[in-house]
Amino acid sequence: MARSPKRKWSMEQDSNDQMMVRREKQERWREQGQAYPNDFRRDALAGDLLARYGDMDGAALEQEPISARLAGRLMSRRVMGKASFADLQDQGGRIQLFLGKDHLGEAAYGLFRELDLGDIIGVEGEIFRTRAGELSLRVTSLRLLSKALRPLPEKWHGLSDPEIRFRQRYVDLIVTEAARRTFRIRAQTVAALRQGLSQRGFFEAETPMMQPIPGGATARPFITHHHALDMTLYLRIAPELYLKRLVVGGFEQVFEINRNFRNEGISTRHNPEFTMLEWYEAYADFHRAMDLTETLIRSAAQAALGTEAITYQGLDIDLGRPFLRLTVEEAVRAHNPELAQADLRDPHCLAEQLARLGVGCHPGWGWGKRLIEIFEKTVEGKLQQPTFITHYPLEVSPLARRNNDDPEVTDRFELMIAGREIANGFSELNDPDDQAARFRAQVAAKEAGDEEAMFFDADYIRALEYGMPPTAGVGMGIDRLVMLLADQASIREVILFPHLRPEQA
RNA sequence: GGGGGUGUAGCUCAGUCGGUAGAGCAGCGGCCUUUUAAGCCGUGGGUCGAGGGUUCGAAUCCCUCCGCUCCCA
């Protein structure tokens, strides 16, 4: 599969006139002594200085000078002969520097004029307010700490090519404030979820990423090989069966936040590796799981955004109001008025409805699978405000507990927000005999050609035979939740290094 | 897999009817001590994604391929 070489990606030969100039400067810098010093120590961050002294007026600052040592990247420059302004960016923000020949001295001012945008520098000086009123640092000494050999993208428009933004995320993070914000939201979301579970007594576990039998979900796995043991291993598609083994073991409230891998297509909503939160709570049912799901999402929004009223792609979504709760059958009937209640369990009526919708109906599908196909086609995308859809058919819920009143459905829910599945949870199936039967049905489906169907996990059955307490569990897609909170349309915007095709053949 | 968009200087983008490549930022050389998309004067920089075709002549028209991107399945 030969690919045409793309000049902007070639690693070794892509030097240009600007890089030549920077390399010459680097060479001169090397000749002057230690070219990559690491003895500069800062004592402040740009954002902290702005927060702390932003309200202090110029006169007060002159009376009681505050000195600071800052380090960061030179992002812009305004040179006016013997005095200049520049912007320094560090992890806490961006602050303006004032560099006057009088304060800096001839030699250091000369060094400043040699600098290039993107260089990493260390500065020392005093806080003051400019004539225009901007809090700035009057620099009294300056050092080059690391030379930028490559020019930065344009200062005003920044980086707009999405391919370069994802491939060279380091450049994107330097120049795109919105990208930095998205990943701050992500970190705060994960931290809030972790804290919310920890403070309720949940135990954080790490279970295998490489599994001999990939379980806990219906998906095609990645396959790998362990050489020393000469055995096939699968990258996990879910941690579920291991976390429930831990519940058997006595960790009655347990959770994990980690990566899952699914060997499926790539789209604006799918990345081959994605982050999942799963938690399990013994002596709870799916109603309790829905309550906790709701609470955790609210606290994540509050932690990351400071509000529960969000806007997603122009749509106002209120996470503060109680989430709606509807059964699958109620939702399907509401959006398919031509179906009567009795039709919902009638495979023939459902097949006719699928045909009307232009969806093919596989002969192996029972009424439950057919009903879910209709749900996904006619309802799912319309559920904009947070809605729990409950009581999924048994056929599509091989790990969920049967409903007491209606053994054809399970005590399961999915949470839909902005037309997308955000979480999936249920009262866990803890009857080992029922679970074994469900696994056998999955194996039959796999043998009939369903690549996504589950394997039979005998050790998991053995674990259940020791007795698992009645338990509720939830899985929450972190990437999709972050997309929602950060108002991003593509999963690539919320994953630091999304999967892309390789740069060169 | 199907359809739409797109690929031109380091970055962001123009490029008319097919006539041999442009701007801003960045760079380089000057001037300039309160600017903030600083300003002014001067100046270098191009495999127009790749390959093929049509043509006297192709960034432009046609074909194939590659990448990115959006929508649909």
mmCIF file of all heavy atoms in Angstrom, chain A residues 7, chain B residues 7-9 14-15 20-21 46-51 58-60:
data_model
loop_
_atom_site.group_PDB
_atom_site.id
_atom_site.type_symbol
_atom_site.label_atom_id
_atom_site.label_comp_id
_atom_site.label_asym_id
_atom_site.label_seq_id
_atom_site.Cartn_x
_atom_site.Cartn_y
_atom_site.Cartn_z
ATOM 1 N N ARG A 7 4.956 16.056 1.796
ATOM 2 C CA ARG A 7 6.118 16.823 2.207
ATOM 3 C C ARG A 7 5.998 17.358 3.625
ATOM 4 O O ARG A 7 6.944 17.372 4.385
ATOM 5 C CB ARG A 7 6.364 17.967 1.236
ATOM 6 C CG ARG A 7 7.762 18.556 1.329
ATOM 7 C CD ARG A 7 8.088 19.308 0.060
ATOM 8 N NE ARG A 7 6.953 20.096 -0.390
ATOM 9 C CZ ARG A 7 6.678 21.311 0.049
ATOM 10 N NH1 ARG A 7 7.465 21.894 0.926
ATOM 11 N NH2 ARG A 7 5.634 21.958 -0.389
ATOM 12 P P G B 7 -8.342 23.122 -1.543
ATOM 13 O OP1 G B 7 -8.006 24.556 -1.556
ATOM 14 O OP2 G B 7 -8.784 22.451 -2.786
ATOM 15 O "O5'" G B 7 -7.102 22.328 -0.987
ATOM 16 C "C5'" G B 7 -6.623 22.565 0.335
ATOM 17 C "C4'" G B 7 -5.476 21.626 0.649
ATOM 18 O "O4'" G B 7 -5.959 20.257 0.537
ATOM 19 C "C3'" G B 7 -4.290 21.753 -0.304
ATOM 20 O "O3'" G B 7 -3.068 21.584 0.418
ATOM 21 C "C2'" G B 7 -4.484 20.573 -1.267
ATOM 22 O "O2'" G B 7 -3.280 20.081 -1.791
ATOM 23 C "C1'" G B 7 -5.131 19.535 -0.339
ATOM 24 N N9 G B 7 -5.939 18.569 -1.090
ATOM 25 C C8 G B 7 -7.103 18.831 -1.771
ATOM 26 N N7 G B 7 -7.597 17.778 -2.353
ATOM 27 C C5 G B 7 -6.705 16.759 -2.031
ATOM 28 C C6 G B 7 -6.715 15.392 -2.391
ATOM 29 O O6 G B 7 -7.526 14.773 -3.081
ATOM 30 N N1 G B 7 -5.623 14.714 -1.843
ATOM 31 C C2 G B 7 -4.653 15.284 -1.070
ATOM 32 N N2 G B 7 -3.686 14.463 -0.648
ATOM 33 N N3 G B 7 -4.630 16.562 -0.734
ATOM 34 C C4 G B 7 -5.682 17.236 -1.247
ATOM 35 P P U B 8 -2.266 22.891 0.808
ATOM 36 O OP1 U B 8 -0.964 22.450 1.339
ATOM 37 O OP2 U B 8 -3.147 23.749 1.609
ATOM 38 O "O5'" U B 8 -2.025 23.614 -0.589
ATOM 39 C "C5'" U B 8 -1.026 23.149 -1.462
ATOM 40 C "C4'" U B 8 -0.455 24.276 -2.273
ATOM 41 O "O4'" U B 8 -1.506 24.870 -3.100
ATOM 42 C "C3'" U B 8 0.052 25.456 -1.469
ATOM 43 O "O3'" U B 8 1.345 25.224 -0.931
ATOM 44 C "C2'" U B 8 0.014 26.567 -2.501
ATOM 45 O "O2'" U B 8 1.063 26.414 -3.427
ATOM 46 C "C1'" U B 8 -1.312 26.267 -3.184
ATOM 47 N N1 U B 8 -2.449 26.955 -2.532
ATOM 48 C C2 U B 8 -2.622 28.299 -2.785
ATOM 49 O O2 U B 8 -1.884 28.942 -3.502
ATOM 50 N N3 U B 8 -3.688 28.881 -2.143
ATOM 51 C C4 U B 8 -4.569 28.265 -1.302
ATOM 52 O O4 U B 8 -5.484 28.914 -0.799
ATOM 53 C C5 U B 8 -4.330 26.868 -1.090
ATOM 54 C C6 U B 8 -3.301 26.273 -1.701
ATOM 55 P P A B 9 1.634 25.791 0.519
ATOM 56 O OP1 A B 9 2.208 24.669 1.287
ATOM 57 O OP2 A B 9 0.482 26.542 1.062
ATOM 58 O "O5'" A B 9 2.795 26.827 0.220
ATOM 59 C "C5'" A B 9 4.096 26.382 -0.158
ATOM 60 C "C4'" A B 9 5.146 27.211 0.536
ATOM 61 O "O4'" A B 9 5.086 28.565 -0.018
ATOM 62 C "C3'" A B 9 4.956 27.361 2.046
ATOM 63 O "O3'" A B 9 6.233 27.377 2.670
ATOM 64 C "C2'" A B 9 4.308 28.723 2.197
ATOM 65 O "O2'" A B 9 4.579 29.352 3.408
ATOM 66 C "C1'" A B 9 4.963 29.491 1.038
ATOM 67 N N9 A B 9 4.198 30.642 0.580
ATOM 68 C C8 A B 9 2.954 31.066 0.965
ATOM 69 N N7 A B 9 2.564 32.169 0.385
ATOM 70 C C5 A B 9 3.605 32.502 -0.450
ATOM 71 C C6 A B 9 3.805 33.573 -1.333
ATOM 72 N N6 A B 9 2.919 34.526 -1.555
ATOM 73 N N1 A B 9 4.978 33.606 -2.009
ATOM 74 C C2 A B 9 5.871 32.640 -1.790
ATOM 75 N N3 A B 9 5.792 31.579 -0.977
ATOM 76 C C4 A B 9 4.624 31.571 -0.335
ATOM 77 P P A B 14 -9.831 30.322 0.696
ATOM 78 O OP1 A B 14 -11.295 30.256 0.771
ATOM 79 O OP2 A B 14 -9.068 29.228 0.053
ATOM 80 O "O5'" A B 14 -9.459 31.686 -0.015
ATOM 81 C "C5'" A B 14 -9.028 31.677 -1.330
ATOM 82 C "C4'" A B 14 -8.773 33.083 -1.796
ATOM 83 O "O4'" A B 14 -7.455 33.493 -1.311
ATOM 84 C "C3'" A B 14 -8.700 33.202 -3.303
ATOM 85 O "O3'" A B 14 -9.970 33.370 -3.875
ATOM 86 C "C2'" A B 14 -7.777 34.403 -3.481
ATOM 87 O "O2'" A B 14 -8.457 35.611 -3.233
ATOM 88 C "C1'" A B 14 -6.777 34.157 -2.355
ATOM 89 N N9 A B 14 -5.670 33.277 -2.793
ATOM 90 C C8 A B 14 -5.363 32.021 -2.340
ATOM 91 N N7 A B 14 -4.316 31.480 -2.906
ATOM 92 C C5 A B 14 -3.906 32.440 -3.814
ATOM 93 C C6 A B 14 -2.844 32.495 -4.736
ATOM 94 N N6 A B 14 -1.966 31.513 -4.894
ATOM 95 N N1 A B 14 -2.717 33.605 -5.495
ATOM 96 C C2 A B 14 -3.586 34.606 -5.327
ATOM 97 N N3 A B 14 -4.633 34.687 -4.498
ATOM 98 C C4 A B 14 -4.730 33.555 -3.757
ATOM 99 P P G B 15 -10.521 32.293 -4.946
ATOM 100 O OP1 G B 15 -11.812 32.787 -5.442
ATOM 101 O OP2 G B 15 -10.415 30.930 -4.369
ATOM 102 O "O5'" G B 15 -9.441 32.417 -6.101
ATOM 103 C "C5'" G B 15 -9.238 33.662 -6.762
ATOM 104 C "C4'" G B 15 -7.977 33.621 -7.563
ATOM 105 O "O4'" G B 15 -6.844 33.410 -6.680
ATOM 106 C "C3'" G B 15 -7.867 32.474 -8.564
ATOM 107 O "O3'" G B 15 -8.595 32.729 -9.750
ATOM 108 C "C2'" G B 15 -6.363 32.396 -8.778
ATOM 109 O "O2'" G B 15 -5.900 33.434 -9.615
ATOM 110 C "C1'" G B 15 -5.858 32.645 -7.353
ATOM 111 N N9 G B 15 -5.685 31.364 -6.649
ATOM 112 C C8 G B 15 -6.509 30.814 -5.712
ATOM 113 N N7 G B 15 -6.087 29.653 -5.282
ATOM 114 C C5 G B 15 -4.908 29.431 -5.994
ATOM 115 C C6 G B 15 -4.002 28.336 -5.958
ATOM 116 O O6 G B 15 -4.058 27.312 -5.279
ATOM 117 N N1 G B 15 -2.945 28.524 -6.836
ATOM 118 C C2 G B 15 -2.767 29.622 -7.646
ATOM 119 N N2 G B 15 -1.687 29.612 -8.430
ATOM 120 N N3 G B 15 -3.611 30.640 -7.684
ATOM 121 C C4 G B 15 -4.644 30.482 -6.832
ATOM 122 P P U B 20 0.661 34.050 -16.926
ATOM 123 O OP1 U B 20 -0.459 34.268 -15.969
ATOM 124 O OP2 U B 20 1.420 35.206 -17.451
ATOM 125 O "O5'" U B 20 1.689 33.033 -16.297
ATOM 126 C "C5'" U B 20 1.254 32.054 -15.339
ATOM 127 C "C4'" U B 20 2.412 31.185 -14.934
ATOM 128 O "O4'" U B 20 2.593 30.170 -15.950
ATOM 129 C "C3'" U B 20 3.759 31.925 -14.841
ATOM 130 O "O3'" U B 20 4.575 31.289 -13.870
ATOM 131 C "C2'" U B 20 4.356 31.706 -16.229
ATOM 132 O "O2'" U B 20 5.767 31.770 -16.266
ATOM 133 C "C1'" U B 20 3.861 30.283 -16.542
ATOM 134 N N1 U B 20 3.703 30.033 -17.998
ATOM 135 C C2 U B 20 4.833 29.876 -18.755
ATOM 136 O O2 U B 20 5.953 29.958 -18.288
ATOM 137 N N3 U B 20 4.618 29.648 -20.080
ATOM 138 C C4 U B 20 3.405 29.545 -20.724
ATOM 139 O O4 U B 20 3.359 29.319 -21.931
ATOM 140 C C5 U B 20 2.271 29.716 -19.869
ATOM 141 C C6 U B 20 2.454 29.949 -18.571
ATOM 142 P P A B 21 4.769 31.956 -12.388
ATOM 143 O OP1 A B 21 5.070 33.393 -12.609
ATOM 144 O OP2 A B 21 5.733 31.128 -11.654
ATOM 145 O "O5'" A B 21 3.354 31.793 -11.667
ATOM 146 C "C5'" A B 21 2.292 32.751 -11.823
ATOM 147 C "C4'" A B 21 1.851 33.250 -10.461
ATOM 148 O "O4'" A B 21 1.560 32.089 -9.629
ATOM 149 C "C3'" A B 21 2.938 34.049 -9.729
ATOM 150 O "O3'" A B 21 2.366 35.141 -9.029
ATOM 151 C "C2'" A B 21 3.521 33.049 -8.752
ATOM 152 O "O2'" A B 21 4.044 33.615 -7.598
ATOM 153 C "C1'" A B 21 2.307 32.167 -8.438
ATOM 154 N N9 A B 21 2.724 30.819 -8.042
ATOM 155 C C8 A B 21 3.794 30.128 -8.535
ATOM 156 N N7 A B 21 3.978 28.970 -7.969
ATOM 157 C C5 A B 21 2.968 28.886 -7.041
ATOM 158 C C6 A B 21 2.616 27.900 -6.123
ATOM 159 N N6 A B 21 3.283 26.744 -5.982
ATOM 160 N N1 A B 21 1.545 28.127 -5.339
ATOM 161 C C2 A B 21 0.882 29.271 -5.479
ATOM 162 N N3 A B 21 1.111 30.278 -6.318
ATOM 163 C C4 A B 21 2.173 30.020 -7.074
ATOM 164 P P G B 46 11.598 28.563 -3.138
ATOM 165 O OP1 G B 46 12.356 27.300 -3.211
ATOM 166 O OP2 G B 46 11.801 29.640 -4.127
ATOM 167 O "O5'" G B 46 10.062 28.201 -3.110
ATOM 168 C "C5'" G B 46 9.508 27.444 -2.024
ATOM 169 C "C4'" G B 46 8.304 26.676 -2.501
ATOM 170 O "O4'" G B 46 7.221 27.611 -2.744
ATOM 171 C "C3'" G B 46 8.521 25.892 -3.796
ATOM 172 O "O3'" G B 46 7.905 24.632 -3.702
ATOM 173 C "C2'" G B 46 7.839 26.752 -4.856
ATOM 174 O "O2'" G B 46 7.316 26.019 -5.912
ATOM 175 C "C1'" G B 46 6.709 27.417 -4.046
ATOM 176 N N9 G B 46 6.284 28.716 -4.554
ATOM 177 C C8 G B 46 6.885 29.484 -5.513
ATOM 178 N N7 G B 46 6.263 30.609 -5.742
ATOM 179 C C5 G B 46 5.167 30.573 -4.886
ATOM 180 C C6 G B 46 4.127 31.505 -4.681
ATOM 181 O O6 G B 46 3.958 32.592 -5.239
ATOM 182 N N1 G B 46 3.241 31.072 -3.715
ATOM 183 C C2 G B 46 3.335 29.888 -3.031
ATOM 184 N N2 G B 46 2.388 29.646 -2.145
ATOM 185 N N3 G B 46 4.308 29.004 -3.198
ATOM 186 C C4 G B 46 5.179 29.409 -4.141
ATOM 187 P P U B 47 8.806 23.320 -3.426
ATOM 188 O OP1 U B 47 8.278 22.713 -2.206
ATOM 189 O OP2 U B 47 10.222 23.751 -3.513
ATOM 190 O "O5'" U B 47 8.507 22.323 -4.617
ATOM 191 C "C5'" U B 47 8.486 22.783 -5.950
ATOM 192 C "C4'" U B 47 7.670 21.839 -6.794
ATOM 193 O "O4'" U B 47 8.413 20.612 -6.971
ATOM 194 C "C3'" U B 47 6.333 21.419 -6.178
ATOM 195 O "O3'" U B 47 5.389 21.160 -7.210
ATOM 196 C "C2'" U B 47 6.661 20.105 -5.508
ATOM 197 O "O2'" U B 47 5.560 19.257 -5.302
ATOM 198 C "C1'" U B 47 7.632 19.521 -6.527
ATOM 199 N N1 U B 47 8.519 18.498 -5.989
ATOM 200 C C2 U B 47 8.280 17.190 -6.358
ATOM 201 O O2 U B 47 7.373 16.881 -7.106
ATOM 202 N N3 U B 47 9.131 16.276 -5.812
ATOM 203 C C4 U B 47 10.168 16.517 -4.973
ATOM 204 O O4 U B 47 10.857 15.585 -4.571
ATOM 205 C C5 U B 47 10.363 17.898 -4.619
ATOM 206 C C6 U B 47 9.542 18.810 -5.122
ATOM 207 P P C B 48 4.612 22.239 -7.906
ATOM 208 O OP1 C B 48 3.891 21.612 -9.017
ATOM 209 O OP2 C B 48 5.518 23.380 -8.136
ATOM 210 O "O5'" C B 48 3.578 22.666 -6.787
ATOM 211 C "C5'" C B 48 2.647 21.693 -6.287
ATOM 212 C "C4'" C B 48 1.508 22.421 -5.629
ATOM 213 O "O4'" C B 48 1.586 23.826 -5.921
ATOM 214 C "C3'" C B 48 0.151 21.940 -6.123
ATOM 215 O "O3'" C B 48 -0.737 21.965 -5.015
ATOM 216 C "C2'" C B 48 -0.251 23.001 -7.120
ATOM 217 O "O2'" C B 48 -1.630 23.153 -7.259
ATOM 218 C "C1'" C B 48 0.367 24.264 -6.467
ATOM 219 N N1 C B 48 0.624 25.322 -7.460
ATOM 220 C C2 C B 48 -0.228 26.425 -7.482
ATOM 221 O O2 C B 48 -1.172 26.477 -6.671
ATOM 222 N N3 C B 48 -0.016 27.404 -8.386
ATOM 223 C C4 C B 48 1.006 27.310 -9.228
ATOM 224 N N4 C B 48 1.181 28.298 -10.098
ATOM 225 C C5 C B 48 1.889 26.178 -9.230
ATOM 226 C C6 C B 48 1.659 25.216 -8.331
ATOM 227 P P G B 49 -1.832 20.835 -4.897
ATOM 228 O OP1 G B 49 -2.355 20.446 -6.235
ATOM 229 O OP2 G B 49 -2.703 21.412 -3.878
ATOM 230 O "O5'" G B 49 -1.116 19.541 -4.297
ATOM 231 C "C5'" G B 49 -0.179 19.668 -3.224
ATOM 232 C "C4'" G B 49 0.260 18.297 -2.827
ATOM 233 O "O4'" G B 49 -0.854 17.623 -2.166
ATOM 234 C "C3'" G B 49 0.646 17.388 -3.976
ATOM 235 O "O3'" G B 49 1.978 17.591 -4.398
ATOM 236 C "C2'" G B 49 0.402 16.004 -3.382
ATOM 237 O "O2'" G B 49 1.443 15.647 -2.497
ATOM 238 C "C1'" G B 49 -0.870 16.266 -2.554
ATOM 239 N N9 G B 49 -2.087 16.022 -3.327
ATOM 240 C C8 G B 49 -3.058 16.950 -3.618
ATOM 241 N N7 G B 49 -4.048 16.457 -4.316
ATOM 242 C C5 G B 49 -3.709 15.124 -4.489
ATOM 243 C C6 G B 49 -4.398 14.082 -5.165
ATOM 244 O O6 G B 49 -5.471 14.137 -5.760
ATOM 245 N N1 G B 49 -3.689 12.884 -5.108
ATOM 246 C C2 G B 49 -2.486 12.703 -4.482
ATOM 247 N N2 G B 49 -1.968 11.484 -4.539
ATOM 248 N N3 G B 49 -1.834 13.672 -3.841
ATOM 249 C C4 G B 49 -2.497 14.842 -3.885
ATOM 250 P P A B 50 2.340 17.374 -5.962
ATOM 251 O OP1 A B 50 3.729 17.832 -6.138
ATOM 252 O OP2 A B 50 1.252 17.955 -6.785
ATOM 253 O "O5'" A B 50 2.299 15.797 -6.142
ATOM 254 C "C5'" A B 50 3.241 14.972 -5.473
ATOM 255 C "C4'" A B 50 3.031 13.540 -5.885
ATOM 256 O "O4'" A B 50 1.722 13.109 -5.426
ATOM 257 C "C3'" A B 50 2.989 13.305 -7.386
ATOM 258 O "O3'" A B 50 4.285 13.179 -7.947
ATOM 259 C "C2'" A B 50 2.182 12.020 -7.487
ATOM 260 O "O2'" A B 50 2.968 10.892 -7.147
ATOM 261 C "C1'" A B 50 1.142 12.243 -6.385
ATOM 262 N N9 A B 50 -0.078 12.878 -6.905
ATOM 263 C C8 A B 50 -0.463 14.187 -6.783
ATOM 264 N N7 A B 50 -1.624 14.451 -7.339
ATOM 265 C C5 A B 50 -2.023 13.233 -7.859
ATOM 266 C C6 A B 50 -3.171 12.847 -8.576
ATOM 267 N N6 A B 50 -4.160 13.679 -8.894
ATOM 268 N N1 A B 50 -3.260 11.549 -8.952
ATOM 269 C C2 A B 50 -2.264 10.714 -8.633
ATOM 270 N N3 A B 50 -1.139 10.958 -7.960
ATOM 271 C C4 A B 50 -1.081 12.255 -7.600
ATOM 272 P P G B 51 4.527 13.657 -9.457
ATOM 273 O OP1 G B 51 5.978 13.534 -9.708
ATOM 274 O OP2 G B 51 3.837 14.937 -9.671
ATOM 275 O "O5'" G B 51 3.765 12.550 -10.314
ATOM 276 C "C5'" G B 51 4.237 11.210 -10.327
ATOM 277 C "C4'" G B 51 3.264 10.300 -11.024
ATOM 278 O "O4'" G B 51 1.979 10.335 -10.333
ATOM 279 C "C3'" G B 51 2.885 10.685 -12.447
ATOM 280 O "O3'" G B 51 3.869 10.325 -13.398
ATOM 281 C "C2'" G B 51 1.577 9.919 -12.637
ATOM 282 O "O2'" G B 51 1.824 8.538 -12.835
ATOM 283 C "C1'" G B 51 0.928 10.115 -11.266
ATOM 284 N N9 G B 51 0.042 11.292 -11.285
ATOM 285 C C8 G B 51 0.296 12.561 -10.811
ATOM 286 N N7 G B 51 -0.706 13.382 -10.984
ATOM 287 C C5 G B 51 -1.683 12.599 -11.616
ATOM 288 C C6 G B 51 -2.987 12.937 -12.053
ATOM 289 O O6 G B 51 -3.576 14.026 -11.983
ATOM 290 N N1 G B 51 -3.617 11.839 -12.649
ATOM 291 C C2 G B 51 -3.065 10.593 -12.784
ATOM 292 N N2 G B 51 -3.820 9.669 -13.378
ATOM 293 N N3 G B 51 -1.849 10.270 -12.369
ATOM 294 C C4 G B 51 -1.231 11.310 -11.803
ATOM 295 P P A B 58 1.240 22.711 -19.661
ATOM 296 O OP1 A B 58 2.216 22.365 -18.614
ATOM 297 O OP2 A B 58 0.647 21.661 -20.513
ATOM 298 O "O5'" A B 58 0.044 23.553 -19.013
ATOM 299 C "C5'" A B 58 0.279 24.689 -18.191
ATOM 300 C "C4'" A B 58 -0.587 24.647 -16.956
ATOM 301 O "O4'" A B 58 -1.960 24.460 -17.384
ATOM 302 C "C3'" A B 58 -0.284 23.476 -16.017
ATOM 303 O "O3'" A B 58 -0.596 23.878 -14.690
ATOM 304 C "C2'" A B 58 -1.240 22.418 -16.462
ATOM 305 O "O2'" A B 58 -1.542 21.482 -15.486
ATOM 306 C "C1'" A B 58 -2.478 23.264 -16.807
ATOM 307 N N9 A B 58 -3.398 22.656 -17.763
ATOM 308 C C8 A B 58 -3.179 21.582 -18.589
ATOM 309 N N7 A B 58 -4.204 21.262 -19.330
ATOM 310 C C5 A B 58 -5.171 22.196 -18.974
ATOM 311 C C6 A B 58 -6.498 22.412 -19.391
ATOM 312 N N6 A B 58 -7.103 21.671 -20.315
ATOM 313 N N1 A B 58 -7.176 23.421 -18.819
ATOM 314 C C2 A B 58 -6.559 24.170 -17.901
ATOM 315 N N3 A B 58 -5.323 24.073 -17.427
ATOM 316 C C4 A B 58 -4.686 23.060 -18.012
ATOM 317 P P A B 59 0.468 24.613 -13.768
ATOM 318 O OP1 A B 59 0.550 26.006 -14.244
ATOM 319 O OP2 A B 59 1.678 23.769 -13.726
ATOM 320 O "O5'" A B 59 -0.185 24.616 -12.313
ATOM 321 C "C5'" A B 59 -0.365 23.387 -11.602
ATOM 322 C "C4'" A B 59 -1.493 23.519 -10.611
ATOM 323 O "O4'" A B 59 -1.396 24.804 -9.975
ATOM 324 C "C3'" A B 59 -2.884 23.503 -11.241
ATOM 325 O "O3'" A B 59 -3.360 22.185 -11.389
ATOM 326 C "C2'" A B 59 -3.705 24.298 -10.232
ATOM 327 O "O2'" A B 59 -4.086 23.479 -9.143
ATOM 328 C "C1'" A B 59 -2.682 25.327 -9.743
ATOM 329 N N9 A B 59 -2.814 26.613 -10.436
ATOM 330 C C8 A B 59 -1.920 27.198 -11.293
ATOM 331 N N7 A B 59 -2.307 28.366 -11.735
ATOM 332 C C5 A B 59 -3.536 28.564 -11.123
ATOM 333 C C6 A B 59 -4.467 29.620 -11.184
ATOM 334 N N6 A B 59 -4.298 30.724 -11.902
ATOM 335 N N1 A B 59 -5.590 29.499 -10.442
ATOM 336 C C2 A B 59 -5.760 28.391 -9.716
ATOM 337 N N3 A B 59 -4.958 27.326 -9.577
ATOM 338 C C4 A B 59 -3.854 27.490 -10.308
ATOM 339 P P U B 60 -4.182 21.743 -12.663
ATOM 340 O OP1 U B 60 -4.689 20.377 -12.438
ATOM 341 O OP2 U B 60 -3.351 22.055 -13.845
ATOM 342 O "O5'" U B 60 -5.436 22.742 -12.703
ATOM 343 C "C5'" U B 60 -6.406 22.742 -11.668
ATOM 344 C "C4'" U B 60 -7.387 23.868 -11.893
ATOM 345 O "O4'" U B 60 -6.640 25.108 -11.994
ATOM 346 C "C3'" U B 60 -8.214 23.737 -13.168
ATOM 347 O "O3'" U B 60 -9.535 24.178 -12.931
ATOM 348 C "C2'" U B 60 -7.514 24.688 -14.140
ATOM 349 O "O2'" U B 60 -8.361 25.246 -15.116
ATOM 350 C "C1'" U B 60 -7.003 25.774 -13.189
ATOM 351 N N1 U B 60 -5.806 26.446 -13.715
ATOM 352 C C2 U B 60 -5.858 27.803 -13.960
ATOM 353 O O2 U B 60 -6.857 28.469 -13.739
ATOM 354 N N3 U B 60 -4.717 28.359 -14.458
ATOM 355 C C4 U B 60 -3.543 27.712 -14.742
ATOM 356 O O4 U B 60 -2.599 28.353 -15.192
ATOM 357 C C5 U B 60 -3.557 26.302 -14.476
ATOM 358 C C6 U B 60 -4.667 25.738 -13.988
#
